[in-house]
Amino acid sequence: MSDKMTDRKFTQTTPDNETTLDISTVKSLQIGYHGETIFLYSTEDDSLIVKEYINGLSGSEYYAKVTANRFKATIRYGRREEVNHDTFVEVFLPKSWHGELQLSSQYGNIITEEDWTMERFAAETTEGAVVFRTISAPRIRITTSVGPVQGDHTVGFTDIHTVSGPISIKSIDGGAKLETSSSHIYAAFHSLNNIIECITLNGNIDLTLPSDAGMKVDGISKRGEILTDIDGLEIKTKPGNIKNILGILGEKPFQNVRLSSINGTICLRQQA
């Protein structure tokens, strides 16, 4: 990804603190930080390892605070005097662990380049980006304010909300709700077993739909255009030059596909 937030080079090479936690019985794991970027890696070990690179801060008050019982573990950042975008943490999660994971960073990015299968995945950042490769979970929830969300593949219901960041997912198996206020939405659906809902105020919506799924399509762009070459879909112009696309594709069971943009263009295509 070319976004400047995820291109930042971190120079610190030795962690200031390392925390190890046995999560073999833990079903729910929450990890939250302040200005730090979170890098998520897999490990063959049975324990969770968190390495903190926090600009040389020394003292237990600055290090991760762990609250844990047999089934739930919470890791929170320690004392912070100010936001420092040059700090980061490395989270090494056992490959054998498949519980519920929630990651958050107020001002940092959340980045993983590995494939994950979990009961639930959630990631939230205020000023950072979320970048991932493959996430498989019945429920996937990602939230950002100004940063982009970019992923290769999701399996499950994919719920993504940003305020001004673009959303780009190369392949989705399942269903999705994708919403942003002032940027674009790009997604390609490989298979469909739930609804698709895409909403943006000022951005474009560019979707690729599966060719072998039953769908009821209903889309509107109040001031933009609607473009498609899919047989079975009809584009109408309503009073006020409002564009509307409607149609039924494939056979039952039908999944609802609802699309809405105020000022952007909606472009629909089907897989070859």
Side-chain angles (χ1 to χ4, degrees):
M1 175 175 227
S2 61
D3 187 271
K4 64 181 180 180
M5 289 186 294
T6 56
D7 281 347
R8 181 179 294 113
K9 303 300 182 183
F10 297 96
T11 58
Q12 188 176 345
T13 57
T14 302
D16 299 294
N17 182 56
E18 183 174 317
T19 299
T20 301
L21 185 65
D22 181 0
I23 59 169
S24 57
T25 63
V26 168
K27 305 300 182 183
S28 176
L29 176 61
Q30 299 178 356
I31 301 175
Y33 273 85
H34 187 239
E36 290 78 11
T37 284
I38 299 174
F39 293 98
L40 179 64
Y41 303 105
S42 66
T43 176
E44 299 293 341
D45 295 338
D46 293 330
S47 296
L48 171 75
I49 301 171
V50 178
K51 297 182 180 181
E52 299 181 281
Y53 300 78
I54 49 179
N55 201 32
L57 291 176
S58 179
S60 60
E61 70 270 25
Y62 298 111
Y63 301 153
K65 309 301 180 185
V66 179
T67 303
N69 57 38
R70 185 178 177 184
F71 301 110
K72 182 178 180 179
T74 301
I75 296 177
R76 301 289 295 174
Y77 64 91
R79 180 180 173 185
R80 296 291 184 270
E81 305 294 341
E82 60 185 12
V83 176
N84 187 339
H85 292 291
D86 292 326
T87 59
F88 65 100
V89 296
E90 294 177 325
V91 176
F92 296 86
L93 188 64
K95 286 181 95 173
S96 59
W97 190 83
H98 303 297
E100 299 183 354
L101 176 65
Q102 180 176 331
L103 301 173
S104 65
S105 179
Q106 293 182 44
Y107 303 102
N109 305 315
I110 298 172
I111 300 172
T112 183
E113 296 182 353
E114 304 194 43
D115 300 331
W116 298 100
T117 299
M118 299 178 182
E119 287 298 317
R120 181 175 179 269
F121 177 89
E124 180 176 1
T125 174
T126 303
E127 293 189 6
V130 177
V131 181
F132 61 89
R133 191 163 77 177
T134 300
I135 299 173
S136 300
R139 185 77 176 186
I140 299 163
R141 170 70 172 170
I142 299 173
T143 306
T144 75
S145 291
V146 300
V149 177
Q150 178 173 308
D152 285 349
H153 187 201
T154 61
V155 180
F157 190 80
T158 303
D159 187 354
I160 300 176
H161 180 273
T162 80
V163 176
S164 59
I167 298 170
S168 179
I169 311 297
K170 293 180 181 179
S171 177
I172 297 175
D173 285 287
K177 181 177 181 181
L178 311 175
E179 183 173 0
T180 179
S181 294
S182 58
S183 199
H184 75 262
I185 297 171
Y186 167 83
F189 288 84
H190 182 262
S191 64
L192 194 62
N193 62 13
N194 210 319
I195 65 167
I196 298 175
E197 185 172 355
C198 295
I199 301 171
T200 177
L201 297 182
N202 298 310
N204 300 329
I205 297 174
D206 190 330
L207 293 187
T208 299
L209 301 173
S211 58
D212 57 353
M215 291 169 279
K216 292 183 178 180
V217 178
D218 185 356
I220 187 171
S221 180
K222 291 188 176 181
R223 300 187 186 94
E225 298 296 325
I226 296 180
L227 307 172
T228 189
D229 59 0
I230 301 176
D231 292 337
L233 299 183
E234 182 180 5
I235 301 172
K236 297 181 179 181
T237 300
K238 296 183 175 181
N241 203 35
I242 296 173
K243 302 297 193 304
N244 184 218
I245 185 168
L246 292 166
I248 296 177
L249 303 175
E251 300 178 351
K252 293 181 179 180
F254 296 116
Q255 304 297 338
N256 289 320
V257 179
R258 297 189 290 266
L259 315 169
S260 176
S261 179
I262 302 297
N263 297 309
T265 293
I266 296 175
C267 181
L268 294 180
R269 60 180 64 86
Q270 267 186 311
Q271 292 176 337

